[in-house]
């Protein structure tokens, strides 16, 4: 949208809709917009992890516990910390940058009331 010094300074509404920020008169000659264009474009190209990060230790049985559910991983990771991303429907386990396990997310273990 054009934000020139006056309301009608950029023409009619149809003309303002067709104009790009580089061609439309703007305060500071549009320099502020050009300064922010590159960083915003770089951020929107990057992929985001939309999960929760955990760092559990692999137990002696080759399993990790995340939110009261047990998941198996490779035995060479026993005693080491794994990086785990918990998403809405899956769990991904990493050893450094390498993905070592993927599991469908399990519901939490049922708690018995002792009856």
């Amino acid at each position: 949208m054009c934000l020139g010094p006056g309301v009608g300074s950029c023409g009619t509404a149809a003309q303002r809709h067709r104009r790009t920020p580089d061609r439309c008169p703007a305060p500071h000659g549009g320099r502020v917009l050009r300064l922010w264009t590159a960083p915003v474009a770089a951020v929107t190209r990057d992929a985001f992890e939309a999960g929760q990060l955990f760092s559990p230790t692999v137990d002696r049985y080759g399993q990790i516990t995340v939110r009261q559910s047990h998941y198996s991983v490779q035995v060479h990771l026993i005693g080491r910390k794994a990086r785990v991303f918990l998403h809405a429907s899956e769990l991904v386990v990493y050893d450094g940058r390498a993905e070592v396990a993927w599991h469908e997310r399990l519901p939490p273990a049922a708690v018995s009331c002792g009856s």
Side-chain angles (χ1 to χ4, degrees), residues 1 3 7-8 13 17 20-21 25 32 36 39 44 56 58 61 64 67 69 74 76 79 85-86 88 90 104 106 112:
M1 181 174 198
L3 300 173
V7 175
H17 188 286
T20 62
V32 176
W36 281 99
T44 55
V58 180
Y61 304 108
I64 56 173
R67 295 228 173 148
S69 295
Q74 297 171 354
H76 74 272
F85 278 104
L86 182 66
E90 66 184 12
E104 191 172 325
L106 300 173
S112 63

Side-chain angles (χ1 to χ4, degrees), residues 24-77:
C24 185
H28 311 293
R31 287 187 309 248
V32 176
L33 179 64
R34 279 188 234 114
L35 289 174
W36 281 99
T37 303
V40 170
V43 168
T44 55
R45 279 192 309 262
D46 294 340
F48 291 98
E49 285 288 344
Q52 202 168 10
L53 177 65
F54 294 93
S55 296
T57 302
V58 180
D59 67 10
R60 63 182 175 171
Y61 304 108
Q63 294 184 342
I64 56 173
T65 304
V66 178
R67 295 228 173 148
Q68 299 179 352
S69 295
H70 299 276
Y71 300 92
S72 62
V73 295
Q74 297 171 354
V75 293
H76 74 272
L77 296 174

